[in-house]
Amino acid sequence: MKLSDCLKALDIFRQEGAGNPEIDELMIDSRLVKPGSLFFCIKGHHVDGHRFAQQAQASGASAIVAQDPVDVSIPVIRVNDTHRALAMISDYFYGQPSHDLFLLGVTGTNGKTTITYLVQAIQEAAGINTGLIGTMGMHYKNKSIPVQNTTPEVHLIHQNLAKMKAEGAVSVVLEASSNALYDGRLHGCAFNVGVFTNLTEDHLDLHGTMKDYMYAKSLLFSQLGNCYGIGQKRAAVLNVDDPASEVYKHMTAAHVITYGINHSADFRAKAIKINSSGTAFILENAGRSYPVSMKLIGKFSVYNVLAALAACSVSGIALEAMIHTVEQIKGVAGRFEPVDAGQDFTVIVDYSHTPDSLENALSTIKEFARKRVITIAGCGGDRERGKRPIMAKIAVDNSDLAILTADNPRTEDPEQILLEMEAGVKGRDYRKIPDRREAIRDAVNEADSGDILLIAGKGHEDYQIIGTTKHHFDDREEARKAILERLNRNE
């Protein structure tokens, strides 16, 4: 595509330097620029892309999009906001793929990954070719592509939506993080359905207050559009048990579909029964009752399932068929995932890295625990220091033994992170083992027959970030190794 064609997506811009080169790709990382790249100088939270304009030119960039002056000899397109220009040009450059897809976005503090997984499974079972973009990567047509962020950058979103469409996808479900919504990484995406899970303390290092965090998530619902039309299905799927839903229903003109447990809703669960092998409940919808017996465990899993059912109902899938699919699903990687190596106690790995998700996981475990509950918990470095004492208190309050350890310390001293966690449990009994591998080994050796060990925080992650380096580390692998070592010693 010629540069002049790319610029059709913009209303206000100024070109500095003559030329109309061919554009083969859109790029924001100067290290990845190749001949034919259109390089966007993005002002990020930590790095200003304008500093790398000359490097982009040296690597073969055909042109630069910038909001500040840059010293290069190739054409420069000056705009007021390079990130907004990136979204507009990306949508046009990749053929506006979201306009031809049934696009579902899921936002909220907890549950996003599980709900997107459930939506994809339900729609695929109904014969709807569905792509997925989220924390555990992009998945479509038996392909899996890792991602750096829960919601990738805007040009990558549109690029991959186009790829999914070309591969035959007719629907895509994605995780819409508050950071991505606030930063505009979903600009240009024509959403059909927006799903809200819950709102609890998280990402306050970026948003500042819970009110600002709530409004950041509301951007998904305002992006559902403001017009109606036969065949143009638009719906906001809201959790009526969370007060933020009252705000979100006023943020959208779309049809509102509700789900919940404690209050009347379009999709409501009653008579919930939880045990160590699954969860049963009665689903009420449109004046009818449906028994559901699933392998997913916990009240939070019921909420996730209700959200997925409500979201998929917009596609017209029969409720009985959706329930049948849900009942076959065993679980999502790193979400309340059991580790079984032949031991006589239970080990569960869960991505509970917020106070609410940790409390939910432990409350679920206490529903079926017959002996002790042992919890390993940590907090990440370089972010959200305020939740550290809260996480420690939840672990200690809800466990017979809590072990505080490192999570992803990043550039912080793990000992300092643990000191801040300990502020929430002064005078209480717990163990502090900074080395996460050693903490897992200690907990496994401590467990007696019938105990339940929860390893919280990292879930599906197969790395630990120490400094600025990612080291391979998987809680599931470490737990299995520790269990086998113990079993071998006792033979």
Side-chain angles (χ1 to χ4, degrees):
M1 183 181 289
K2 289 290 187 179
L3 175 62
S4 59
D5 291 324
C6 294
L7 299 180
K8 291 177 181 178
L10 304 180
D11 290 326
I12 300 174
F13 65 90
R14 180 176 79 251
Q15 181 166 342
E16 299 174 350
N20 186 27
E22 191 72 28
I23 302 299
D24 299 323
E25 65 176 0
L26 311 181
M27 191 60 61
I28 65 171
D29 187 337
S30 61
R31 297 167 297 182
L32 302 178
V33 166
K34 296 180 296 195
S37 295
L38 176 59
F39 179 69
F40 291 77
C41 300
I42 302 296
K43 286 190 172 184
H45 296 294
H46 304 292
V47 178
D48 185 350
H50 291 80
R51 293 169 44 204
F52 304 99
Q54 290 184 351
Q55 181 181 329
Q57 175 179 290
S59 297
S62 296
I64 303 283
V65 179
Q67 62 191 63
D68 294 336
V70 291
D71 184 15
V72 295
S73 58
I74 56 178
V76 176
I77 307 304
R78 289 288 297 275
V79 297
N80 294 326
D81 183 334
T82 48
H83 198 276
R84 191 172 295 270
L86 174 64
M88 292 175 171
I89 291 177
S90 296
D91 176 53
Y92 184 69
F93 185 82
Y94 292 110
Q96 298 189 306
S98 69
H99 293 223
D100 300 318
L101 295 165
F102 190 82
L103 194 60
L104 303 93
V106 184
T107 196
T109 306
N110 303 310
K112 296 187 295 295
T113 299
T114 298
I115 292 169
T116 55
Y117 176 88
L118 291 170
V119 167
Q120 185 186 44
I122 291 168
Q123 294 199 150
E124 290 279 356
I128 301 173
N129 193 337
T130 305
L132 185 152
I133 301 174
T135 303
M136 294 192 289
M138 289 183 275
H139 306 278
Y140 60 97
K141 198 88 172 190
N142 297 319
K143 295 179 181 178
S144 182
I145 303 169
V147 297
Q148 290 187 338
N149 299 314
T150 295
T151 311
E153 252 302 350
V154 65
H155 65 300
L156 297 177
I157 289 283
H158 291 285
Q159 180 187 63
N160 283 281
L161 288 178
K163 288 180 179 179
M164 292 179 183
K165 176 187 168 185
E167 291 279 2
V170 296
S171 178
V172 174
V173 56
L174 60 83
E175 294 184 49
S177 70
S178 61
N179 295 10
L181 288 163
Y182 182 80
D183 289 342
R185 278 181 256 157
L186 292 169
H187 281 170
C189 291
F191 284 101
N192 295 85
V193 177
V195 180
F196 168 61
T197 65
N198 47 64
L199 189 76
T200 61
E201 185 171 324
D202 199 17
H203 299 305
L204 296 189
D205 51 337
L206 172 68
H207 301 296
T209 68
M210 284 296 293
K211 186 175 182 179
D212 289 332
Y213 179 41
M214 177 182 68
Y215 281 128
K217 291 191 176 297
S218 77
L219 294 171
L220 175 61
F221 305 102
S222 63
Q223 290 178 39
L224 290 174
N226 195 48
C227 59
Y228 304 111
I230 301 300
Q232 293 182 336
K233 297 179 179 178
R234 297 282 189 271
V237 176
L238 305 179
N239 175 3
V240 294
D241 292 342
D242 193 297
S245 289
E246 276 297 308
V247 175
Y248 296 157
K249 76 178 184 181
H250 293 289
M251 295 292 185
T252 182
H255 180 58
V256 173
I257 301 174
T258 58
Y259 70 94
I261 296 173
N262 301 327
H263 299 89
S264 179
D266 297 312
F267 289 78
R268 186 178 187 182
K270 287 188 172 182
I272 300 170
K273 296 180 180 178
I274 302 169
N275 58 49
S276 60
S277 58
T279 307
F281 63 94
I282 300 299
L283 170 65
E284 293 186 347
N285 172 256
R288 294 184 60 187
S289 298
Y290 304 82
V292 180
S293 180
M294 61 186 192
K295 299 178 179 66
L296 303 176
I297 301 173
K299 190 176 180 180
F300 62 90
S301 293
V302 175
Y303 276 109
N304 292 338
V305 166
L306 292 174
L309 294 175
C312 291
S313 72
V314 183
S315 298
I317 306 171
L319 187 52
E320 292 89 344
M322 292 195 286
I323 292 171
H324 177 73
T325 300
V326 166
E327 291 183 328
Q328 309 309 308
I329 294 172
K330 293 183 179 179
V332 182
R335 270 63 180 175
F336 221 74
E337 181 179 354
V339 177
D340 187 354
Q343 76 277 13
D344 59 359
F345 53 92
T346 300
V347 176
I348 296 169
V349 171
D350 190 64
Y351 189 56
S352 39
H353 63 290
T354 66
D356 184 65
S357 60
L358 180 59
E359 191 162 21
N360 283 339
L362 286 167
S363 295
T364 295
I365 287 172
K366 289 164 72 174
E367 291 270 358
F368 57 83
R370 297 294 175 264
K371 291 192 176 180
R372 293 187 305 163
V373 175
I374 302 171
T375 301
I376 294 175
C379 291
D382 297 338
R383 60 191 62 181
E384 301 165 292
R385 294 175 59 181
K387 75 180 184 183
R388 293 173 183 175
I390 301 171
M391 291 284 285
K393 186 176 187 302
I394 290 170
V396 172
D397 284 350
N398 294 278
S399 310
D400 297 285
L401 170 61
I403 301 175
L404 308 184
T405 190
D407 190 285
N408 290 319
R410 299 182 178 87
T411 62
E412 283 195 73
D413 180 354
E415 289 283 1
Q416 181 60 39
I417 295 173
L418 288 170
L419 279 174
E420 293 183 21
M421 291 183 71
E422 288 182 281
V425 289
K426 288 181 178 178
R428 307 287 299 279
D429 290 329
Y430 60 90
R431 292 181 190 173
K432 181 176 75 170
I433 305 176
D435 185 283
R436 192 172 182 92
R437 181 176 287 108
E438 185 57 38
I440 292 173
R441 186 179 293 114
D442 182 76
V444 166
N445 290 331
E446 172 71 30
D448 293 327
S449 176
D451 287 349
I452 299 176
L453 166 59
L454 172 66
I455 305 175
K458 292 177 60 60
H460 67 283
E461 292 180 352
D462 60 359
Y463 59 84
Q464 187 175 33
I465 305 174
I466 301 173
T468 58
T469 304
K470 279 187 177 182
H471 303 268
H472 180 77
F473 192 98
D474 189 315
D475 284 349
R476 297 160 296 186
E477 290 178 8
E478 296 301 327
R480 188 174 297 277
K481 287 178 187 176
I483 293 166
L484 292 175
E485 287 174 4
R486 171 176 165 166
L487 293 176
N488 290 334
R489 283 197 308 269
N490 294 336
E491 283 184 352

